[in-house]
Amino acid sequence: MFRTALRNVLAHKARLLMTVLAVMLGVAFVSGTLVFTNTVSDAFQNSSTKGFDQVDVAVRAKSRADKGNTISKAPELTQAMLDRSAKVPGAARAVGVVSGFTAVAGKDGKLVGRGFQSQGGNYWGTKDPRYPLKSGSAPHGAHQVAIDAKTAERTGYKVGDTVRLSVDGPVLTPTISGVFTTDDGNVAAGGSLALFDTATAQKLFGKPGTYDEIDVKAAAGTSQTALKAGLDKALGTRLLETTTGRKLADDQARQISSSMSGLKQGLLVFAGIALFVGTFIIANTFTMLVAQRTKELALLRAVGASRRQVTRSVLIEAFVVGVVAGVTGLVAGIGIGAGLRALMGTLGGSVPDGPLVITPGTVAAALAVGVVITMLAAWLPGRRAAKIPPVAAMSSVHAKATTKSLVLRNTLGALFSGAGVAVVLAATTMNGSDGQAPMGLGAVLLIIGVFILTPLLSRPLIAAAAPVLRLFGISGKLARQNSVRNPRRTAATASALMIGLTLITGMTVMAGSLQKSIDKMASSAIRADYVVSMANGNELSPGVDRKLAATGEVTDTSPLRNVYSRIDGTGESLTGVNGAAIAKLTDLKVDEGAFEVGGSHVVVDQDTAKSHGWKEGSSFTAHYEDGKSTPLTVSGVYEGNELIRGILVDSATVTPHMSDPGDMQVLVKTAGGASGATKDKLEKALGSNPAIKVQSKQDLSDDIARMFTLMLNMLYGLLAMAVIVAVLGVINTLAMSVFERSQEIGMLRAIGLDRKGIKRMVRLESLVISLFGGVLGIGLGVFFGWAAGELLGTKMATYELVLPWTRMAVFLLLAATVGVLAALWPARRAARLNMLAAIKSE
């Protein structure tokens, strides 16, 4: 039986090649995902480990310690602490570290890298071991800076050039004194690092005479643990904490691994989708192969082979196919992993240097997925073939599916579909995250139910295409009849395409609806013409509103200033605003009271008011970080949104309690409204700073649109794998149909249907099957998009369902294209059949 199974594998090379390809694509996706994520994680972890080579123990101030309603101020790391650290027994040297956001502009005036990855710091002395100089010298004085080698390479800067910098808002134009190398993770990820001398860095980052961290290097023969103990004794542990370099590296490695896990899981989900779709093709292929060998298997049964041996022979074939697909998929996956890493660079990302990481787990996963998926998909056709009585099989009179089995299938499908719809509808009535798990469960149940019901659905939906097919004469009529001849196989093929289009349509509906909702939110919540903010999301320096007002174009401004406080024993963030102007710059619906901000009067959003039990006239006390407190009164309750929410209080009330005030955003209203000329004037008033964004409401919407477009394009690329596998499925189904109808095709040729008519018949059959899957997929996608939107609507008051009719038409056209392309080879094969040989075939 084993030798027989191997010969059968080799006897059907063309069919099995498509099966191997279908499995290989899924395996390649899985192994490529694992190679890519392991490679990136390993590269960043190695880079982070190198970054801590010069740190044996780091000294930092402890986080704020809250006692009741008072907030203790975090201690500062002073020069005296640095001196004591350097004198601890076993310490070779101690370095004071100062860091903060520093935006570097390229020669085109635009920000280098991404805002949150643009960092600055201090260069220690004339030769800092943390940052070996590649060229030039250490920075000295307020007019010199050193930049990292990767930034210099990307921008074309060299020693002696003048560079534009932004530190917390102000624009500087120092000279580049040196270019250094670094293993800093932000630089490795595509960011920039600019270093000033220590005194300049302390001044620029608002920390004169103090440090953010003290890094201590151990002398030869002193362990990190011993040095840590010495520092704890010399500095005390009540306000300071010491951490070994090894722990810092391990912690960062865990953070990197955790951040990569989300990407890995997302990619593996799409790999699973490709494999799920591929399972239908594999099952179809083995059904076809078993159908071709029905008499052969019956003969084996007649000469003594048991049912178990027949099933086992089919599984042996599947095992061979799975091993071949697993090995080739692993090789292809390694290439995909390398390609994804290179793709990151083209999308603006960067990965530290390092080899491709191919772990034993990746190899085992590729082989396991290839073998297990293939054998599971082949088990049912093999078992079905083994159950056919030998005499019936040899005489080709074995029965098709009984009415009882179809009734059972339809009943089961109706139960799954009904349960899925019920659970999804129930999830739409829940709040936010509470409904995510039920909705996911309902979606799975509904997809399974529709898949089971697809043979039943195929007849009426394909019959609806009959008027169009009649236009193609006898070829169209035959195509319709052939499409419903074996509804189970047609359904399995259409389902492969259905799943891919369900996901694509659902995501498109959600993205379009979210975009519309955010546009609506921006237009309804903000009356301001512009919103000014930092590119990295950090705080703007105080006084930006005054600079803008000085242009003469501005009529009203209001900074949005976050203030940390404690209310009723819990942490609460207040938003400081210009009480006299905020009502002119926003358009927030007030549900209770009046929108009055000034002095001790504040307004709060509905969620905050509900959580504290507040209403109009309620009073509470805010406790600030300086230990003082202020009694406040709720003058109104408004409907918050993603742009503006929380407790709005007059900046004049809270700013005196802030040690380092800064604004997250500044709302600006101008006399002439939003225009290109006005925007240019505002940008020039802020020094044409590349780190500061001046955005109109349309700019905000466009930014969000770009984010969704990028996300959708990535998802479309990933789901293309499922569509490719679905194409193979249609090809397999048509090839099977041509094989089963060889005698019929010969008769059609004999009675006058020419080769063009045969080709047209097969192509139309493929088109009908693909459009059937496309209609089901788009319909399910719209339903899931609506349901997910209802869930989002509980958190976003402006959510509004938007159906992307144009894109859905494109998706239907895509399904039709899949059908046309998939029919090319089977149609050509059918047309080339020798009519006499086909008539004599059984």
Side-chain angles (χ1 to χ4, degrees), residues 215 428 455 543 575 659 698 747:
D215 292 342
T428 60
T575 302
S659 59
Q698 186 61 49
M747 290 294 296

Side-chain angles (χ1 to χ4, degrees), residues 519-543:
D519 288 349
K520 186 177 178 181
M521 183 190 303
S523 61
S524 62
I526 299 177
R527 290 178 180 172
D529 295 316
Y530 294 98
V531 178
V532 181
S533 62
M534 294 291 285
N536 67 331
N538 280 1
E539 293 182 343
L540 291 159
S541 60

Side-chain angles (χ1 to χ4, degrees), residues 9 49 68 87 151 182 229 232 383 386 419 519 657 669 675 677 695 699 747 796 805 821 830:
V9 171
T49 301
K87 295 176 181 177
T151 297
T182 178
D232 287 341
R383 184 171 176 270
D519 288 349
H657 303 290
K669 191 167 184 62
S675 67
Q695 295 178 294
D699 292 333
M747 290 294 296
M796 187 179 292
W805 295 106
L821 293 177

Side-chain angles (χ1 to χ4, degrees), residues 462 479 482-484 489-495 497 730 733-734 737 763-775 815 819:
I462 291 176
N482 293 334
S483 300
V484 296
R489 191 171 62 229
T490 297
T493 304
S495 296
L497 192 58
V730 178
T733 296
L734 293 175
S737 180
R763 289 169 181 165
L764 288 173
E765 179 183 349
S766 175
L767 186 63
V768 167
I769 292 174
S770 297
L771 287 175
F772 169 53
V775 169

Side-chain angles (χ1 to χ4, degrees), residues 529-530 553 670 672-685 694-696 698-699:
D529 295 316
Y530 294 98
E553 297 284 339
T670 59
S675 67
T678 302
K679 183 177 179 179
D680 288 342
K681 288 183 179 179
L682 297 181
E683 289 178 340
K684 288 179 180 178
V694 179
Q695 295 178 294
S696 65
Q698 186 61 49
D699 292 333

Side-chain angles (χ1 to χ4, degrees), residues 195-225:
L195 300 178
F196 309 90
D197 67 21
T198 300
T200 302
Q202 289 175 325
K203 181 180 178 182
L204 289 174
F205 299 131
K207 300 158 188 172
T210 63
Y211 304 95
D212 295 308
E213 180 177 311
I214 297 173
D215 292 342
V216 186
K217 181 69 175 174
T222 302
S223 68
Q224 292 185 351
T225 305

Side-chain angles (χ1 to χ4, degrees), residues 78 126 184 194 236 273 334 417 482 521 544 633 638 646 687 768 771 777 806:
T78 63
T126 58
D184 184 275
I273 292 168
I334 294 171
S417 298
N482 293 334
M521 183 190 303
V544 167
T633 302
Y638 68 92
V768 167
L771 287 175
T806 302

Side-chain angles (χ1 to χ4, degrees), residues 46-58:
N46 289 339
S47 177
S48 69
T49 301
K50 291 178 182 177
F52 291 109
D53 282 348
Q54 300 298 323
V55 183
D56 285 318
V57 179

